[in-house]
Amino acid sequence: MPRFDPTRALRPALRDMVPYTPVEPPAEMAARYGVAPESVVKLDANENPYGASPRALDAIRNVEAHRYPDPDQRRVRAALAARHNVPEACIVAGAGSDELIDLLFRTYVEPGDRIVICSPTFGMYAFDAGLLGAEVVDVPLREDWSIDGDALVAATVGAKAVFIPTPNNPTGGLLSHELATRLIETGALLVVDEAYIEFSHGESLAARAASGDPFVVLRTFSKWAGLAGLRVGYGVMPEPVATTLMQVKQPYGVSVAAEAAVLASLEDTAALDERALTIVAERDRMADALRAMEWLEPAPSEANFILVRMDRGDASDVREALRRRGVFVRTFDHPRLRQHLRISAGTPADTDRVIAALREVGEELMTDSMTGNEAAR
Ligand SMILES: Cc1ncc(COP(=O)(O)O)c(C=O)c1O
């Protein structure tokens, strides 16, 4: 009998797959860089520096961990329906909005289908496209990181789906409602990813997605509600789409702890909104301080992070210099982001630390360039 050959058995789409680059656990990084874990300033994953709402933390203490969660997500869908003033039948929750993205791909995208993105953007869309053997068509953002609307509409005609985060990660800009309408009219599935909408001036399209226009809005509890570790997100969409996704999804994607935390968070929205305002204020204070350093140029952001262009040094060297100081920020492999850092907005103390660390690193780079000490970089 021939033995199973895992290489030959691999689906063709997975043979040259580029893995997703997730963030590493902070304790690992702290150990690697020789910094005390409690002194780490973690600004690399756009998490909420204030954590979950105290009510959510309290709620997860008493969950029935030995029971399976409700596969129909009744209580979660009802609470979300009330929040958005839409029918429950238009909502599907999952283990993070990542699960909803995966679900949309598995439901609608076949090998060879085209899906459209505007890079630089969130990496999960291209990752999932790769898993399914779909073709990714990129309509790059313009020089100022705005969307090239006409080019995007043209590329979307004949595609299966188009994925646009608003605010975009990592650039922080918004999708206009007018462009969303044009994209819906192309006949492709428009997925508007509102993971960071609570930090922006942008108005959510969630209610409209439930009113019949064929598109999907994704939301998450990872950012605004500080529940990234519990993994819970959801989509608002036309009822027929939701009905299908409810059939296709894994039955128990939203754990009992996630369910309890969602319900408690939705009873604590005023406190969570207040925290979001504090985070936005810190984002703006950080942007002003960075702009005052002549080697840094922060892009305007509507999210809880800032994309910063550096006139000096290379992003990975600066990231390493910051890590040695216990400050963790994100860099990217994208060719247009070699000179950029993405820094999440943190607490006031976090902002002070990252500003101080960047001042030191900027001075080091200046000294190195004056003395021609390239190796030190
Ligand atoms: C634009 C965007 N969408 C979705 C996600 C995934 O969020 P979740 O934690 O809900 O899976 C992220 C995470 O960083 C994101 O940046």
Side-chain angles (χ1 to χ4, degrees):
M1 283 287 255
R3 283 157 60 90
F4 176 73
D5 179 341
T7 307
R8 285 189 54 193
L10 202 58
R11 285 200 287 114
L14 300 187
R15 288 194 185 131
D16 302 314
M17 199 192 121
V18 184
Y20 185 76
T21 320
V23 284
E24 274 186 76
E28 297 288 321
M29 296 237 291
R32 180 138 45 90
Y33 288 86
V35 294
E38 61 282 1
S39 74
V40 164
V41 172
K42 189 174 183 311
L43 303 176
D44 58 354
N46 302 338
E47 293 148 333
N48 191 317
Y50 298 105
S53 113
R55 287 203 204 180
L57 292 175
D58 211 38
I60 60 178
R61 270 180 228 270
N62 301 317
V63 296
E64 295 200 318
H66 60 300
R67 301 285 184 214
Y68 283 102
D70 173 11
D72 290 328
Q73 310 170 340
R74 290 173 186 83
R75 297 205 301 156
V76 166
R77 293 171 87 199
L80 289 170
R83 172 162 172 79
H84 293 292
N85 200 14
V86 300
E88 292 167 40
C90 294
I91 292 175
V92 180
S97 41
D98 283 349
E99 188 188 355
L100 271 300
I101 297 167
D102 178 72
L103 200 49
L104 287 165
F105 269 93
R106 286 194 291 116
T107 305
Y108 294 112
V109 179
E110 292 181 275
D113 277 352
R114 275 193 287 136
I115 74 119
V116 184
I117 59 165
C118 296
S119 83
T121 191
F122 184 45
M124 196 57 70
Y125 320 125
F127 171 74
D128 278 333
L131 292 182
L132 283 159
E135 181 196 345
V136 178
V137 176
D138 184 14
V139 181
L141 295 176
R142 296 196 189 102
E143 197 64 23
D144 64 356
W145 302 132
S146 63
I147 298 175
D148 184 341
D150 291 340
L152 178 59
V153 170
T156 304
V157 174
K160 181 57 76 69
V162 51
F163 287 82
I164 309 286
T166 182
N168 185 44
N169 174 11
T171 56
L174 296 176
L175 167 73
S176 74
H177 287 203
E178 183 238 327
L179 182 53
T181 303
R182 290 174 67 198
L183 290 170
I184 292 166
E185 285 164 0
T186 62
L189 173 66
L190 169 65
V191 181
V192 179
D193 186 341
E194 295 186 343
Y196 302 99
I197 194 94
E198 293 90 346
F199 303 102
S200 81
H201 294 102
E203 222 176 279
S204 174
L205 285 164
R208 189 170 147 198
S211 72
D213 273 345
F215 73 106
V216 174
V217 168
L218 299 181
R219 301 281 290 247
T220 180
F221 280 82
S222 296
K223 316 294 176 180
W224 162 78
L227 298 179
L230 284 183
R231 313 298 306 123
V232 56
Y234 60 101
V236 183
M237 61 203 84
E239 187 174 336
V241 178
T243 304
T244 305
L245 296 199
M246 286 301 287
Q247 286 161 359
V248 173
K249 76 172 180 60
Q250 292 287 325
Y252 306 120
V254 180
S255 73
V256 288
E259 177 186 309
V262 162
L263 298 175
S265 299
L266 292 176
E267 282 171 9
D268 207 10
T269 55
L272 290 171
D273 287 343
E274 190 67 39
R275 286 177 174 187
L277 284 178
T278 311
I279 291 167
V280 164
E282 272 318 287
R283 173 197 73 200
D284 293 344
R285 183 169 81 88
M286 175 164 75
D288 289 346
L290 299 179
R291 201 168 295 113
M293 297 185 217
E294 90 279 16
W295 65 295
L296 298 177
E297 186 52 48
S301 172
E302 291 274 343
N304 65 339
F305 54 79
I306 305 176
L307 187 67
V308 188
R309 188 168 56 79
M310 313 183 316
D311 287 342
R312 232 177 263 166
D314 163 271
S316 55
D317 294 339
V318 172
R319 179 197 65 203
E320 293 302 295
L322 291 174
R323 283 181 179 177
R324 290 193 290 273
R325 290 166 170 82
V327 176
F328 299 170
V329 303
R330 183 83 145 99
T331 55
F332 301 92
D333 287 336
H334 193 284
R336 290 173 72 191
L337 296 180
R338 300 257 153 81
Q339 295 288 111
H340 291 75
L341 309 172
R342 190 197 68 196
I343 312 177
S344 310
T347 62
D350 293 342
T351 312
D352 292 344
R353 281 278 302 283
V354 72
I355 291 169
L358 277 167
R359 272 204 194 108
E360 280 178 27
V361 174
E363 272 161 31
E364 257 175 37
L365 288 170
M366 181 69 107
T367 318
D368 291 345
S369 68
M370 285 190 316
T371 57
N373 185 2
E374 289 296 309
R377 298 209 279 124

